[in-house]
């Protein structure tokens, strides 16, 4: 399996992370990509540089005002007197009878659901590189590759049409799916990150042509808390095209594989002709965000189960934080996929 990768992710190097009222260094660090790259090299995957696709693929998923905000944000922020070294919102308007703000502090609040997507001087460049990585992988699948891996950083699945959230700015998985939709009538997105893919769900919630399935730690006691529950099934024309499978904290390999079998039945019933896997590795037993308890052999089994869906597949990197086996888990999931194909 070929893998798309660029060093341009280093432009985005966030620091701020607010956890239970305590400011810490974020877990979404450039070193994540170094460890994932080591995992790709261990698996002897051919590395491919991304093509720059410009704004077109991003604009299929994100609103014009949001893309303008992300592009202009740092310059406007840096011009404020006493501006901090990263953009952290101090308001989150709920938008009832609201007016779109023109001031950068207002726009920052408008376009974020939480404080865990800090914007720095290189965030736009890094986030754009990540969407190019995802779209390049999707284009390779359209051009005939059976399966392609996209090493995206920053991740994307918490980003909505016009909201940054949870380390995410642009939704790489959704953008890959929208790119595949040009030639595939029905596309499925299967999110195996430990966190619910709330942004992806939100983007496609009313659409019948993109199935969104997410397996994740139960949001009753885990981020993002207010999305990811089993009763969220889509809306309007999209009713029935969203499936959430919340799992108890510390769920291990066997129960995870059972959840994947449920997801597979839903995907087969939907009958898509292409698949995007939102490939978080933070369900690991050793991940610092401590949600689920999947082992490295468990990731190999997950890879095999993904391959057995039998669809052209784009695997888009989502979460997965610094642990000694982050790279090994990537090697394992891709090896499991290739063995079962
Ligand atoms: Zn995650």
């Amino acid at each position: 399996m070929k893998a798309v990768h660029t060093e341009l992710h280093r432009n985005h190097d966030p620091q701020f992370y607010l956890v239970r009222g305590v400011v810490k260094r974020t877990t979404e660090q450039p070193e994540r990509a170094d460890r994932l790259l080591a995992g790709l090299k261990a698996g002897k995957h051919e590395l491919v540089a991304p093509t720059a696709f410009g704004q077109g693929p991003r604009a299929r998923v994100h609103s014009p005002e949001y893309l303008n905000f992300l592009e202009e944000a740092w310059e406007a922020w840096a011009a404020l007197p006493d501006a901090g070294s990263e953009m952290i919102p101090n308001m989150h308007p709920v938008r009832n009878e609201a007016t779109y703000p023109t001031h950068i502090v207002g726009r920052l609040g408008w376009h974020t659901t939480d404080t865990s997507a800090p914007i720095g001087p290189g965030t736009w460049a890094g986030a754009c590189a990540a969407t190019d990585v995802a779209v390049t992988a999707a284009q390779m699948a359209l051009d005939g590759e059976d399966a392609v891996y996209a090493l995206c950083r920053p991740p994307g699945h918490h980003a909505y049409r016009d909201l940054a959230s949870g380390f995410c700015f642009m939704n790489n998985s959704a953008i890959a799916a929208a790119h595949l939709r040009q030639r595939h009538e029905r596309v499925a997105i299967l999110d195996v990150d430990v966190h619910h893919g709330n942004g992806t769900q939100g983007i496609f919630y009313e659409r019948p042509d993109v199935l969104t399935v997410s397996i994740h730690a139960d949001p009753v006691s885990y981020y993002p808390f207010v999305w990811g529950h089993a009763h969220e099934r889509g809306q309007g024309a999209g009713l029935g095209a969203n499936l959430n499978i919340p799992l108890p904290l510390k769920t291990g390999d066997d129960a995870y594989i059972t959840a994947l079998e449920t997801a597979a039945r839903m995907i087969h019933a939907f009958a898509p002709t292409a698949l995007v896997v939102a490939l978080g590795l933070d369900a690991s037993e050793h991940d610092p965000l401590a949600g689920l308890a999947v082992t490295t052999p468990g990731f190999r089994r997950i890879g095999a189960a993904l391959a057995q869906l039998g669809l052209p597949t784009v695997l888009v990197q989502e979460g997965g934080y610094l642990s000694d086996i982050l790279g090994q888990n990537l090697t394992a999931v891709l090896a499991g996929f290739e063995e079962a194909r």
Side-chain angles (χ1 to χ4, degrees):
M1 189 189 307
K2 292 177 183 170
V4 187
H5 165 261
T6 173
E7 291 292 326
L8 291 174
H9 72 87
R10 291 188 196 288
N11 282 293
H12 177 59
D13 186 8
Q15 303 293 318
F16 182 92
Y17 187 34
L18 187 61
V19 184
R20 297 172 192 169
V22 179
V23 177
K24 300 185 175 180
R25 180 168 181 204
T26 183
T27 53
E28 206 292 280
Q29 301 174 16
E31 188 183 347
R32 294 180 56 236
D34 297 337
R35 297 202 188 181
L36 294 166
L37 187 61
L40 292 175
K41 287 177 176 166
K44 301 197 174 4
H45 295 278
E46 181 185 335
L47 297 177
V48 177
T51 301
F53 281 83
Q55 285 287 72
R58 297 170 200 135
R60 289 194 194 104
V61 162
H62 295 290
S63 72
E65 69 185 13
Y66 180 59
L67 292 173
N68 289 341
F69 160 73
L70 288 177
E71 187 171 8
E72 300 165 1
W74 179 255
E75 199 173 325
W77 178 266
L80 295 175
D82 301 324
S85 60
E86 290 184 304
M87 298 177 66
I88 314 297
N90 59 355
M91 57 176 293
H92 298 292
V94 292
R95 302 190 183 185
N96 295 316
E97 296 298 323
T99 300
Y100 185 71
T102 55
H103 193 280
I104 188 59
V105 175
R107 292 167 81 194
L108 176 60
W110 182 277
H111 288 300
T112 47
T113 74
D114 56 41
T115 55
S116 57
I119 295 172
T123 297
W124 172 245
C128 285
T131 69
D132 281 333
V133 168
V135 176
T136 299
Q139 184 62 46
M140 288 166 66
L142 290 178
D143 292 341
E145 290 286 336
D146 176 50
V148 187
Y149 168 78
L151 205 177
C152 292
R153 186 189 162 267
H157 73 150
H158 296 306
Y160 287 77
R161 181 170 182 271
D162 64 353
L163 291 163
S165 170
F167 309 152
C168 300
F169 302 89
M170 290 188 276
N171 195 312
N172 307 310
S173 292
I175 290 169
H179 195 75
L180 292 170
R181 259 297 276 117
Q182 296 178 103
R183 222 174 296 165
H184 292 274
E185 289 296 313
R186 294 160 81 80
V187 175
I189 303 175
L190 174 54
D191 190 319
V192 298
D193 190 280
V194 76
H195 302 96
H196 174 240
N198 55 325
T200 315
Q201 170 175 301
I203 286 166
F204 296 112
Y205 207 54
E206 297 189 25
R207 282 179 52 170
D209 56 327
V210 178
L211 172 69
T212 45
V213 179
S214 182
I215 302 170
H216 46 266
D218 194 331
V220 165
S221 52
Y222 203 71
Y223 183 91
F225 301 103
V226 296
W227 298 284
H229 300 270
H231 65 82
E232 297 158 22
R233 299 185 51 245
Q235 193 167 297
L239 182 61
N242 187 79
L243 176 65
N244 287 326
I245 307 177
L247 299 174
L249 293 180
K250 299 297 167 199
T251 291
D253 296 348
D254 289 345
Y256 198 97
I257 295 295
T258 300
L260 267 176
E261 289 164 1
T262 303
R265 283 193 291 276
M266 180 75 172
I267 291 168
H268 286 311
F270 185 78
T273 52
L275 174 71
V276 172
V277 176
L279 183 65
L281 297 172
D282 43 8
S284 165
E285 60 182 338
H286 296 300
D287 194 273
L289 298 191
L292 302 179
V294 175
T295 67
T296 300
F299 277 108
R300 206 174 191 99
R301 293 169 66 190
I302 290 172
L306 297 172
Q308 283 158 1
L309 292 168
L311 293 163
T313 302
V314 179
L315 300 108
V316 177
Q317 185 66 47
E318 295 287 355
Y321 301 95
L322 296 182
S323 73
D324 290 342
I325 57 163
L326 177 60
Q328 292 171 47
N329 286 341
L330 178 59
T331 310
V333 74
L334 298 184
F337 189 102
E338 289 181 323
E339 286 160 8
R341 206 61 156 176

